[in-house]
Amino acid sequence: MPSLLETEAVELIRELIRIDSVNTGESATIGDGETRAARFVQERLEEVGIATTLVEPVPGRGSVVARLKGSDPDAGALLVHAHLDVVPVVESDWTKPPFGAEIHDGFLYGRGAVDMKDYAGTVLAVVRHFVREGIAPRRDIVLAFLADEEAGGVWGAGWLVENRPDLFEGVTEALSEVGGFSVPLDVSGERRAYLAATGEKGVAWATVTAHGHAAHGSRPTDDNAVVRIARAVERLGGHRFPVVRTPALDGFLSAFGDARGLAFAEESFDDDLAGLGFVSTLIGASTRNTATPTVIGGGGKTNIIPAKAFARVDIRILPGEDEALKQGLREAVGPDVEVKWGRWWPATVAPVDAPLIEVLQRAITVDDPDGTVVPYLLPASTDNKHFARLGIHGYGFVPLRVPADFDVFAQFHAADERVPVDALHFSARVTERILREA
Ligand SMILES: [Zn+2]
């Protein structure tokens, strides 16, 4: 029989999924789902006597913050955050209603099932359980349920960091997405690794421009900007940046290397990684810098050779690799094009040997004695980037024990997003230990 905590977690998650809080990223098409979700959270907190602050920088884009008193006044506060918005759905791709929160064959279906109304509902259930049972967590816990993560966090975490840093006073570390789900550690899949994100790649943009002489299309020249940009893009598309052994990657490779007898030596690196199955798609992107051409353009008339043509590049940078990346990209595109750097959000990184990681491990061990918490670097971005500006070390750990062939990461933003209900029960038990003992 599931406990009250486990049952309530699943029910709260289902109620949150039923609040359509799709974030289209365009103000004209966003409704008030985030504020309705924030109000729902606020009511569930205030119902048990937890004071809240609801902010709504623009109508409909609500976030809610609360603080629980810890028993150790010397410990830095822990921020526990979850975003309340979800990405859009293409309903025809779903076999179950995306906002129905239906349960079929032990799986809960719905937009936000793993990204990340699961954690929002779980955390809500855990703090309500603390109040019911008279449990004081060790550290002060700041809870933040946030709008707008899926479009960069401008009206959620970003706005709070800019305008209400007082709400995060004393916070040293944060827990949120993306991580905590189990993946097979050994070949049999009987031993599980629980991936803990200890950092996030940076995100940057660049524009590469080629120049040439404008001419009539009927008189071809060798000085053609379009041809020049195409060559640069081709070179960049084929370029692979070197593998960089960050502390997170080292931790990951040593855990999986031991369990599977793999060396991850330079010559066999790609093959060894590919042998890990679906987890390799997540880790592969975090082993090196990437610079991906995504837009190409120039000119405008078919019969005119333009003087200028350009390409835009999506860049994902490892911690501390900013200069190496710039140099590598310049070399890859070649000397005859101009590179302009656009927005630049560096990577964030938190210690892989923090006591908090031991807390995660202990909380997992109670339920899964062979389970191992393994660090990794998230190749994407979360609200942890905003909170890093306040000096907060962000970790991604939403504990979910799932079958060996269930790829949690593949559920993110997918049709028929789903999660096993018993993984949610597991999540409630483990998260309760983490928040109590952190
Ligand atoms: Zn998310």
Side-chain angles (χ1 to χ4, degrees), residues 178 195-202 244 246-250 252 282-289 317-319 347-350 352 374-380:
V178 174
L195 301 181
T198 58
E200 298 178 2
K201 272 178 126 177
V244 178
T246 58
L249 182 60
D250 270 340
F252 177 89
L282 181 57
I283 299 305
S286 72
T287 59
R288 33 182 123 229
N289 295 320
I317 328 139
L318 293 168
T348 57
V349 61
V352 298
V374 174
Y376 86 110
L377 182 79
L378 179 68

Side-chain angles (χ1 to χ4, degrees), residues 75 105 108 155 397 435:
D105 301 322
L108 170 61
W155 299 113
F397 201 80
L435 300 198

Side-chain angles (χ1 to χ4, degrees), residues 83 115-116 149-150 177 412:
H83 62 82
D115 184 16
M116 64 176 301
E149 193 276 343
E150 296 292 1
E177 57 179 359
F412 280 66

Side-chain angles (χ1 to χ4, degrees), residues 307-349:
K308 238 161 82 165
F310 70 92
R312 294 203 195 106
V313 186
D314 177 295
I315 296 167
R316 306 294 166 133
I317 328 139
L318 293 168
E321 284 290 302
D322 306 59
E323 286 314 309
L325 176 124
K326 285 183 177 176
Q327 198 190 333
L329 186 145
R330 273 212 183 86
E331 282 166 19
V333 294
D336 60 346
V337 292
E338 173 197 356
V339 180
K340 272 222 175 76
W341 308 110
R343 84 166 194 204
W344 203 275
W345 296 344
T348 57
V349 61

